[in-house]
Amino acid sequence: MNKEFKILEDGNIEVIDEKGQITKRYCSNSIQNELLSENKSELIENKLNDAQKKLKENKKVVDLSKWMLIFQPIIIGIASIIGFIQGAILNTGNILIGGLYNALYLGLFTSFIAIIPTVYWAIIKKIFKKKIKNNETMITSINIIKKNFEKENKNIKENEYTRKGHYPNATFNLEKDTKQINDNLDRQINMVYESNKGYSPKLTMKRK
């Protein structure tokens, strides 16, 4: 992120980023606008990456909840089988009745215990499926903002910033303008997000 720039005596500039790294660049008539446009592009990419990261994380939670819900009846079934075998072995009379009785007992006991995790993972699945829908809407919204910005960026006019009246060694801070850009971006994204609510576009995640 470009933090500030300084006009040098040779007419070029030194650009300082948020990490303190200095880059020497040619000073065009619209250099300030160019640097702020670069900041805006980076802000958009950061917001898009954050939204995609949240979507990926929430999908993992939903996948986990699906598997946990599948495991509950499997666990009950395994417990019933173990109960049947144990009952058949321990019962010296009717093996079948002893096995079935023990299988039913352990099956019901395990089912009772499985109620809590089943309800828990069912709720988690529902909550995070809603979050995924919101994540997808947010990604769509940011992509709309990104596309509009790219069009706008191609039409940037020269002479929005001139060096007239500015002298060598003058330093110009970009943080205030960058913060304003970020605030405006958040407002724009929220407006587009709210207008896109109710839609559930199918998005494909790029594999990194």
Side-chain angles (χ1 to χ4, degrees):
M1 197 80 65
N2 301 315
K3 183 179 178 182
E4 62 183 26
F5 69 96
K6 179 180 180 181
I7 298 178
L8 304 175
E9 292 183 0
D10 61 4
N12 292 315
I13 63 167
E14 282 184 348
V15 181
I16 303 172
D17 63 18
E18 77 279 7
K19 296 179 181 178
Q21 296 179 338
I22 300 175
T23 305
K24 190 173 181 179
R25 293 173 55 167
Y26 169 74
C27 184
S28 67
N29 287 334
S30 59
I31 187 62
Q32 186 172 21
N33 188 71
E34 290 172 19
L35 294 175
L36 289 172
S37 292
E38 290 173 8
N39 285 357
K40 185 174 181 178
S41 178
E42 188 173 341
L43 286 168
I44 291 173
E45 286 300 323
N46 289 343
K47 293 177 188 298
L48 185 59
N49 289 336
D50 287 343
Q52 289 174 336
K53 183 179 178 182
K54 288 178 182 177
L55 175 61
K56 191 174 181 180
E57 291 173 350
N58 290 337
K59 281 187 173 182
K60 286 182 179 179
V61 175
V62 169
D63 288 340
L64 176 62
S65 64
K66 286 179 181 178
W67 281 108
M68 294 304 295
L69 289 171
I70 291 172
F71 283 147
Q72 301 311 311
I74 292 175
I75 292 172
I76 294 170
I78 292 173
S80 299
I81 293 171
I82 293 173
F84 179 85
I85 295 172
Q86 185 183 37
I89 292 173
L90 296 177
N91 194 291
T92 56
N94 193 316
I95 295 175
L96 181 61
I97 294 176
L100 289 174
Y101 175 81
N102 215 44
L104 180 62
Y105 175 78
L106 276 180
L108 290 173
F109 180 74
T110 308
S111 298
F112 179 75
I113 295 176
I115 289 174
I116 294 176
T118 299
V119 172
Y120 172 79
W121 287 110
I123 293 173
I124 289 295
K125 182 181 176 183
K126 184 177 181 180
I127 291 173
F128 278 83
K129 282 187 75 174
K130 185 176 180 181
K131 286 187 177 183
I132 286 174
K133 185 178 178 181
N134 291 338
N135 293 149
E136 290 175 340
T137 304
M138 179 60 72
I139 289 171
T140 300
S141 303
I142 296 173
N143 276 322
I144 290 172
I145 298 296
K146 180 181 178 181
K147 187 175 180 180
N148 291 337
F149 167 70
E150 287 172 350
K151 287 181 180 178
E152 168 193 316
N153 207 31
K154 288 180 181 178
N155 299 322
I156 290 177
K157 296 179 180 179
E158 292 288 329
N159 301 318
E160 291 189 19
Y161 164 75
T162 62
R163 286 162 49 196
K164 184 178 180 181
H166 298 305
Y167 301 95
N169 300 319
T171 300
F172 301 90
N173 194 285
L174 302 171
E175 290 180 298
K176 184 177 180 180
D177 290 330
T178 299
K179 184 180 183 304
Q180 184 64 47
I181 289 172
N182 186 59
D183 293 342
N184 289 338
L185 270 175
D186 286 337
R187 281 193 290 270
Q188 290 173 5
I189 291 170
N190 286 334
M191 286 175 63
V192 177
Y193 172 81
E194 290 297 328
S195 67
N196 283 332
K197 269 188 175 179
Y199 297 93
S200 52
K202 293 183 179 179
L203 301 174
T204 54
M205 293 288 294
K206 292 183 179 179
R207 293 185 178 178
K208 295 183 179 180

